[in-house]
Amino acid sequence: MMNAMTMEVRNKIVCIRNKEVITDADVAELYGVETKRINEAVKNNADKFPADYMFTLTESETLDLRSKISTTKISSKSRARPKVFTEKGLYMLATILRSKTATNITFAIIETFAQVRYLKREIVSLHNEVDKEKQTSSL
């Protein structure tokens, strides 16, 4: 069963560049800090965030995300383009942010990404199932 925190994390995951990511503003909201605190942590530990851990959105990706996903917390007033964190980047961020809230959110992130991977495998399995009866009974 999915708890409220895991559901909250799941609602923040978006797909950009074929990767499941969470924006810096959404990460900040989950951790209960300002977005600039997340970005300061990244800036102070830049060597811990290679491109497959975190990347900055292009202007068109930012506009696209803002227009298509209303739940994403991207301010139109911000001068900086949003950063997004992959699952690996979120784990790395958890090693930097050390609070009780950060620990609880990290557990929820781990559980959520595990559930997303499981659901992807199930969908692929159902898609590849040739027996239509088995396919529909699994739904």
Side-chain angles (χ1 to χ4, degrees):
M1 191 58 114
M2 194 177 311
N3 68 30
M5 196 177 298
T6 304
M7 186 57 116
E8 187 176 352
V9 170
R10 180 183 261 179
N11 290 335
K12 306 241 182 260
I13 298 173
V14 294
C15 188
I16 299 175
R17 300 182 195 174
N18 292 320
K19 296 180 184 210
E20 280 89 19
V21 296
I22 301 178
T23 66
D24 54 0
D26 285 337
V27 170
E29 182 181 2
L30 288 167
Y31 282 108
V33 298
E34 294 178 6
T35 304
K36 68 181 181 180
R37 298 294 170 231
I38 298 295
N39 291 322
E40 283 172 0
V42 170
K43 184 178 177 182
N44 293 335
N45 296 277
D47 59 319
K48 294 183 178 185
F49 294 95
D52 59 331
Y53 282 48
M54 183 218 59
F55 55 91
T56 302
L57 297 181
T58 65
E59 189 172 336
S60 65
E61 288 169 332
T62 303
L63 292 171
D64 193 44
L65 189 59
R66 204 179 277 139
S67 68
K68 289 185 179 173
I69 303 175
S70 62
T71 58
T72 309
K73 302 270 187 267
I74 298 178
S75 171
S76 58
K77 295 176 180 133
S78 176
R79 291 172 288 177
R81 282 196 237 122
K83 293 174 181 56
V84 293
F85 295 88
T86 64
E87 182 177 2
K88 293 178 199 175
L90 291 164
Y91 295 154
M92 186 57 70
L93 193 57
T95 68
I96 297 167
L97 303 174
R98 297 172 189 235
S99 69
K100 183 69 173 159
T101 301
T103 300
N104 290 334
I105 290 298
T106 301
F107 288 142
I109 288 168
I110 291 167
E111 290 299 318
T112 302
F113 276 97
Q115 289 170 2
V116 168
R117 279 192 302 281
Y118 173 78
L119 289 171
K120 279 183 174 180
R121 285 192 303 271
E122 287 296 304
I123 289 169
V124 168
S125 175
L126 284 173
H127 179 72
N128 293 331
E129 181 62 57
V130 291
D131 183 347
K132 294 295 179 191
E133 190 174 311
K134 270 188 178 178
Q135 197 177 47
T136 56
S137 70
S138 296
L139 299 176

